[in-house]
C-alpha cells in the first residue's frame, strides 16, 4: 500500500526558540512537532533529569501499600510477588524482589507460565499461594482485572496489593462509564481516575520502582539506593512500547545512562552475548536486540530464565544463561517467520485484506507468538490485527493496533464474546471459545470506529530540509532529542530530486544499499538504505521505466536517475575524518 507523505505544519518562532536554548531552529521545529509548546516543557525535554521525576507519594494507595508491606516484613509474613512473563513483568518482578529482600522480607516470586497459567493472577495461583502459606500477594504488571481471583484470595484470608498500569476495567451504562476495581487492600495504578499522579503513562516496572522509593524512605533506607532500579524501569518502558513522553522519556534517558555502565552481571552477559558496545546503547538496542531476548524465554520456555539471569551473581553462569536465552530468541525468530507466512496466506485466500480489522485464526501457531505475528501483519496491511491460536482449554489471541483505533475500547464493545480480555489502546490479549471467532471478526468490523482514510499509512515529515543545509553540529544536536521510540519517534527529514550518482549492494541477503546522492544544488552525500532493492527498483520504474531502473539498481547509474528521499542524518565514523551520512528511510518517484 502506497503511503501518504505529509509535512508537519505546527507553527512557532523556531529561530527565537533556537536562540533561547542554543540550538538550531531545525531542532526547535522538531520539538514543536512533538507537541511541546512552552519553555518549561522544552527545557525538561532537552535537559530533563532525576529532579524532574514526579513525587511517588502522589500515586493513589502507594503510601498505604508501602505501610502494609513494611508491617508484613517486620512481622515475618510470607510475601509472594506475582509478575508477568514479558519484559515489563520480568523487570517489575526483579525490582520488587531485590528491594524486598534488601529490606529483609520473606519474599518469593511466581511468574505465570504463558501456556499453563495464562496472563496475570488466576485461581490456580491463588490456591497455590494459600497452600504455600503465603500471607500477602503483591502483583506487578497485572492484577487490575483480577476481580474474582482477588476476591478468592481475600476469602482465604490473604492480603492483596496490586501494582499495575493496564487500563482500568469499566462498565458502561447509558453512555456513562464506571470503573470496576478489584477488592484489594491497596491498588497502585496511575490510570485510576481519582489518582493524583500527574502522569498516567508509566509501565509496570516504573510503578514498582515508585513504590520502592516510598518503601525505602519509610524503612529508613536512603531513597537514592532505589536509583539502581532506574535501568530496569527504563528498560521496561521501552520494552513495553510505552509512549516516550513526559516522565517516561526521563526514565528511559536515566535508565540508559545506568545501563551503559550496569553492574548487573546478567545484563552485562547478555550485552556481550549480542556483541554490543555497552557504552553506546540506545533505546533501539532495548527494543530490538536485548528486549526480545528477555521476552523469548517467556514465549518458548519460562520467563523465570530471564528473571534468573537478572538475579545471577556469578559472571560465568550468567554467560551460559545469556547464551541460552539468545538461542531461544533465534528459535523464536524462525518460528515467527513461518507463522507470518502462514498468516499472509490465510489473509489472501480469505480476502481479509479488505476488512477494516483483520482477525486471523492460526490454530497451530505457538500462542506466545500471536502478538508478534499480529504486529507484523499490522505493519504489512496497516490494519488493526488480531491473531487467534488454539489452546488446550480455549482459544487465545493477541492484538496489535494502529493509531486511532483503541484496541481495548473496541474489545469492550464485544465483551460478551470473550472469556477474558485486557490490554492497552495499542495492544491486547484475550481468550475465547472457538465458536466465537467468526462472530468476533464480524462484530469487530461492524463496530469499528476507525475510518478507511485513517488506515492509509501516513509518514509525517518533520522538516523538508535540503541536504545542503546539513552540518556536523546540527547532526550532533539531534542527540538531544533522544531517546527515540513510540511517542517520540526519530525525526523524519526529506529532500527532493536527489540524483543517484552511484549505487552498490552489500550483505549476504543484498539488503544493504550504499549510494552517493547529489542535490540539485550540487551537494554530494553518502547514503545507506537497509531494505529490499526491489522497493527502490519499483519507484525508479514508476518514474523512468524498466531500463533506467535496472541500469540504476545494477550500479551503472548512467542515466543519473533522481527520486525524492526521506532520511535521517548521522555521523559516519568509519573514515579517518568523520563525515555526514544519510540513513534513507523512504523514497518515491
Amino acid at each position: 500500500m502506497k503511503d501518504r507523505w505529509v509535512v508537519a505544519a505546527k507553527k512557532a518562532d523556531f529561530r527565537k526558540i533556537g536562540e533561547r536554548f542554543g540550538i538550531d531552529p531545525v531542532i526547535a521545529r522538531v520539538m514543536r512537532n512533538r507537541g511541546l509548546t512552552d519553555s518549561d516543557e522544552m527545557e525538561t525535554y532537552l535537559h530533563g533529569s532525576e529532579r524532574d521525576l514526579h513525587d511517588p507519594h502522589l500515586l493513589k494507595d502507594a503510601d498505604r501499600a508501602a505501610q502494609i508491606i513494611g508491617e508484613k516484613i517486620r512481622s515475618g509474613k510470607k510475601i509472594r510477588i506475582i509478575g508477568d512473563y514479558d519484559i515489563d513483568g520480568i523487570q517489575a518482578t526483579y525490582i520488587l524482589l531485590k528491594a524486598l529482600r534488601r529490606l529483609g522480607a520473606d519474599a518469593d516470586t511466581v511468574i505465570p507460565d504463558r501456556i499453563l497459567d495464562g496472563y496475570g493472577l488466576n485461581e490456580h495461583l491463588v490456591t497455590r499461594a494459600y497452600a504455600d502459606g503465603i500471607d500477602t500477594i503483591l502483583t506487578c504488571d497485572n492484577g487490575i482485572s483480577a476481580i474474582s481471583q482477588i476476591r478468592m484470595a481475600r476469602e482465604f484470608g490473604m492480603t492483596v496489593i496490586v501494582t499495575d498500569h493496564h487500563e482500568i476495567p469499566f462498565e458502561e451504562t447509558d453512555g456513562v462509564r464506571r470503573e470496576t476495581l478489584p477488592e484489594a487492600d491497596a491498588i497502585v495504578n496511575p490510570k485510576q481516575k481519582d489518582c493524583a499522579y500527574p502522569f498516567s503513562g508509566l509501565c509496570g516496572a516504573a510503578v514498582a520502582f515508585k513504590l520502592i522509593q516510598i518503601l525505602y524512605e519509610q524503612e529508613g533506607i536512603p531513597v537514592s539506593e532505589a536509583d539502581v532500579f532506574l535501568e530496569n524501569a527504563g528498560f521496561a518502558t521501552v520494552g513495553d512500547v510505552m509512549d516516550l513522553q513526559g516522565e517516561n522519556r526521563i526514565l528511559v534517558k536515566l535508565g540508559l545512562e545506568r545501563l551503559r555502565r550496569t553492574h548487573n552481571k546478567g545484563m552485562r552477559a547478555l550485552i556481550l552475548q549480542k556483541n554490543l558496545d555497552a557504552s553506546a546503547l540506545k533505546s533501539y538496542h532495548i527494543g530490538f536486540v536485548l528486549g526480545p531476548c528477555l521476552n523469548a524465554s517467556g514465549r518458548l520456555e519460562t520467563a523465570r530464565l530471564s528473571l534468573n539471569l537478572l538475579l545471577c551473581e556469578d559472571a560465568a553462569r550468567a554467560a551460559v544463561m545469556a547464551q541460552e536465552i539468545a538461542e531461544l530468541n533465534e528459535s523464536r525468530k524462525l518460528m515467527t517467520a513461518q507463522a507470518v507466512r502462514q498468516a499472509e496466506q490465510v489473509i489472501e485466500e480469505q480476502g481479509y485484506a479488505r476488512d477494516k480489522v483483520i482477525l486471523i485464526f492460526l490454530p497451530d501457531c505457538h500462542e506466545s507468538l500471536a502478538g508478534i505475528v499480529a504486529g507484523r501483519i499490522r505493519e504489512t496491511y496497516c490494519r488493526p490485527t488480531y491473531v487467534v491460536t488454539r489452546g488446550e482449554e480455549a482459544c487465545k489471541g493477541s492484538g496489535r493496533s494502529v493509531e486511532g483505533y483503541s484496541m481495548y475500547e473496541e474489545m469492550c464493545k464485544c465483551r460478551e464474546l470473550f472469556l477474558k480480555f485486557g490490554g492497552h489502546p495499542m495492544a491486547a490479549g484475550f481468550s475465547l471459545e472457538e465458536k466465537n471467532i467468526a462472530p468476533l471478526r464480524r462484530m469487530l468490523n461492524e463496530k469499528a470506529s476507525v475510518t478507511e482514510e485513517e488506515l492509509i499509512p501516513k509518514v509525517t515529515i518533520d522538516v523538508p530540509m535540503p541536504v545542503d543545509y546539513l552540518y556536523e553540529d546540527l547532526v550532533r544536536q539531534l542527540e538531544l532529542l533522544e531517546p527515540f521510540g513510540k511517542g517520540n519517534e526519530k525525526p523524519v527529514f526529506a529532500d527532493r530530486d536527489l540524483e543517484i550518482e552511484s549505487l552498490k549492494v552489500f550483505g549476504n541477503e543484498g539488503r544493504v544499499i550504499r549510494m552517493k546522492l547529489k542535490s540539485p544544488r550540487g551537494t554530494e552525500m553518502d547514503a545507506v538504505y537497509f531494505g529490499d532493492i526491489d522497493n527502490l527498483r519499483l519507484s525508479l520504474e514508476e518514474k523512468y521505466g524498466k531500463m533506467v531502473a535496472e541500469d540504476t539498481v545494477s550500479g551503472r547509474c548512467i542515466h543519473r536517475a533522481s527520486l525524492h528521499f526521506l532520511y535521517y542524518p548521522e555521523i559516519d565514523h568509519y573514515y579517518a575524518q568523520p563525515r555526514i551520512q544519510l540513513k534513507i528511510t523512504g523514497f518515491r518517484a
Side-chain angles (χ1 to χ4, degrees):
M1 184 181 296
K2 195 168 184 178
D3 49 20
R4 290 184 296 139
W5 291 10
V6 297
V7 177
K10 293 183 178 178
K11 304 294 184 183
D13 188 337
F14 303 124
R15 187 169 299 280
K16 183 178 180 181
I17 294 171
E19 291 172 354
R20 163 74 174 80
F21 292 103
I23 55 177
D24 190 282
V26 167
I27 305 298
R29 181 166 176 172
V30 173
M31 287 199 299
R32 181 66 189 91
N33 290 344
R34 299 296 174 270
L36 305 175
T37 56
D38 62 53
S39 293
D40 289 343
E41 286 180 325
M42 292 180 183
E43 177 66 35
T44 301
Y45 182 89
L46 290 169
H47 307 295
S49 64
E50 202 165 340
R51 69 177 181 272
D52 296 300
L53 297 177
H54 300 307
D55 182 354
H57 294 281
L58 295 174
L59 281 164
K60 181 187 177 186
D61 273 7
D63 287 327
R64 175 171 170 73
Q67 181 183 6
I68 293 171
I69 293 170
E71 291 171 355
K72 299 295 184 180
I73 292 172
R74 287 187 289 275
S75 58
K77 301 295 186 183
K78 288 186 175 181
I79 301 172
R80 174 158 294 170
I81 301 160
I82 297 183
D84 188 28
Y85 38 67
D86 69 357
I87 295 172
D88 192 17
I90 292 166
Q91 296 283 11
T93 301
Y94 172 81
I95 291 170
L96 293 177
L97 182 63
K98 288 287 286 187
L100 264 59
R101 286 181 175 173
R102 166 72 177 85
L103 292 165
D106 183 359
D108 66 9
T109 67
V110 169
I111 295 182
D113 184 282
R114 184 185 290 266
I115 295 176
L116 298 178
D117 300 315
Y119 166 76
L121 187 63
N122 61 35
E123 286 81 359
H124 163 68
L125 295 176
V126 172
T127 304
R128 177 176 158 191
Y130 179 67
D132 291 343
I134 298 298
D135 174 87
T136 300
I137 290 175
L138 172 59
T139 76
C140 54
D141 194 32
N142 75 90
I144 199 65
S145 299
I147 308 293
S148 61
Q149 295 86 350
I150 289 175
R151 185 181 301 117
M152 173 191 284
R154 295 289 301 279
E155 289 171 353
F156 280 148
M158 286 186 279
T159 299
V160 182
I161 297 170
V162 171
T163 72
D164 202 351
H165 73 117
H166 290 92
E167 299 292 333
I168 310 297
F170 64 88
E171 293 180 355
E172 189 168 334
T173 305
D174 298 327
V176 179
R177 292 186 179 183
R178 183 176 62 85
E179 288 185 349
T180 307
L181 293 167
E183 299 170 2
D185 294 87
I187 299 173
V188 186
N189 184 332
K191 286 191 170 68
Q192 296 175 88
K193 67 179 181 181
D194 54 351
C195 180
Y197 199 77
F199 183 74
S200 64
L202 298 175
C203 70
V207 174
F209 165 67
K210 294 285 180 175
L211 176 60
I212 295 307
Q213 286 184 307
I214 296 174
L215 196 53
Y216 275 13
E217 178 186 0
Q218 171 187 288
E219 299 302 310
I221 293 177
V223 178
S224 60
E225 277 199 30
D227 290 350
V228 70
F229 301 122
L230 278 167
E231 73 179 66
N232 307 96
F235 193 111
T237 300
V238 175
D240 211 35
V241 200
M242 307 304 294
D243 284 336
L244 297 193
Q245 298 172 346
E247 189 174 34
N248 276 349
R249 195 165 168 279
I250 300 173
L251 284 170
V252 174
K253 186 177 179 181
L254 296 173
L256 279 167
E257 289 173 0
R258 288 182 168 269
L259 192 63
R260 289 167 187 148
R261 47 186 171 83
T262 182
H263 295 291
N264 185 288
K265 291 182 173 63
M267 186 56 70
R268 286 168 65 178
L270 187 59
I271 291 167
L272 285 171
Q273 176 65 37
K274 300 306 293 183
N275 297 313
L276 297 176
D277 177 1
S279 66
L281 289 176
K282 297 193 175 184
S283 54
Y284 168 85
H285 299 108
I286 296 175
F288 295 97
V289 184
L290 300 172
C293 290
L294 293 189
N295 258 344
S297 69
R299 294 185 188 281
L300 302 185
E301 293 280 345
T302 167
R304 191 85 205 183
L305 289 173
S306 291
L307 178 61
N308 287 342
L309 175 68
L310 296 178
L311 292 169
C312 186
E313 294 295 339
D314 179 81
R317 176 63 185 147
V320 174
M321 296 167 71
Q323 181 179 1
E324 181 182 359
I325 288 172
E327 288 173 352
L328 274 175
N329 192 46
E330 291 304 312
S331 297
R332 189 271 310 165
K333 288 181 182 179
L334 292 173
M335 294 169 65
T336 300
Q338 182 180 359
V340 168
R341 286 194 296 269
Q342 185 182 358
E344 290 173 342
Q345 183 179 349
V346 170
I347 290 170
E348 297 307 321
E349 289 178 353
Q350 301 296 326
Y352 293 159
R354 295 189 296 270
D355 292 349
K356 280 186 179 180
V357 180
I358 293 176
L359 187 148
I360 318 159
F361 182 36
L362 299 178
D364 299 323
C365 175
H366 196 291
E367 67 181 57
S368 69
L369 302 180
I372 303 176
V373 176
R376 300 281 175 81
I377 297 302
R378 173 201 59 191
E379 291 169 6
T380 300
Y381 293 91
C382 198
R383 295 281 191 274
T385 302
Y386 300 84
V387 173
V388 184
T389 65
R390 184 179 284 141
E392 291 187 12
E393 297 181 2
C395 290
K396 296 182 179 180
S398 288
R400 297 293 183 269
S401 194
V402 298
E403 295 295 339
Y405 181 93
S406 175
M407 196 151 266
Y408 179 76
E409 293 199 15
E410 295 292 328
M411 291 172 71
C412 284
K413 300 175 184 178
C414 315
R415 64 171 68 243
E416 65 272 21
L417 296 177
F418 297 108
L419 297 173
K420 190 177 180 182
F421 75 98
H424 307 288
M426 296 301 291
F430 57 93
S431 61
L432 78 172
E433 295 179 16
E434 188 168 332
K435 67 180 182 180
N436 285 334
I437 294 174
L440 177 61
R441 179 186 295 115
R442 183 172 59 253
M443 190 176 293
L444 285 170
N445 276 281
E446 289 173 352
K447 295 179 178 291
S449 57
V450 68
T451 66
E452 288 289 348
E453 184 177 349
E454 289 174 316
L455 294 175
I456 298 173
K458 182 176 71 171
V459 176
T460 300
I461 297 167
D462 283 288
V463 187
M465 183 166 65
V467 297
D468 315 75
Y469 183 76
L470 290 170
Y471 59 101
E472 192 170 320
D473 187 51
L474 167 59
V475 178
R476 296 192 187 282
Q477 285 182 38
L478 288 170
E479 294 177 6
L480 293 170
L481 305 174
E482 297 183 18
F484 298 130
K486 183 174 178 288
N488 187 51
E489 287 77 11
K490 182 178 283 191
V492 177
F493 302 101
D495 198 3
R496 302 176 61 86
D497 298 318
L498 295 181
E499 183 182 288
I500 302 173
E501 288 195 305
S502 65
L503 182 150
K504 291 183 180 180
V505 180
F506 297 87
N508 294 333
E509 298 179 3
R511 295 181 65 84
V512 180
I513 295 96
R514 292 193 173 278
M515 296 175 278
K516 186 174 287 293
L517 304 178
K518 184 177 181 180
S519 77
R521 296 153 294 278
T523 300
E524 292 183 338
M525 281 282 174
D526 290 333
V528 60
Y529 169 64
F530 298 98
D532 193 335
I533 190 70
D534 285 338
N535 295 333
L536 190 63
R537 189 195 313 271
L538 288 172
S539 290
L540 289 165
E541 278 187 17
E542 180 183 345
K543 186 172 183 180
Y544 295 104
K546 289 188 176 183
M547 187 180 74
V548 173
E550 188 57 40
D551 167 76
T552 305
V553 300
S554 67
R556 290 188 294 272
C557 301
I558 298 170
H559 297 86
R560 298 293 177 91
S562 64
L563 295 171
H564 308 321
F565 284 91
L566 303 177
Y567 70 90
Y568 184 83
E570 298 175 329
I571 302 295
D572 184 0
H573 294 279
Y574 178 79
Y575 300 95
Q577 183 70 32
R579 62 176 71 174
I580 297 173
Q581 173 181 265
L582 308 181
K583 185 174 182 180
I584 301 301
T585 57
F587 35 76
R588 64 169 36 176

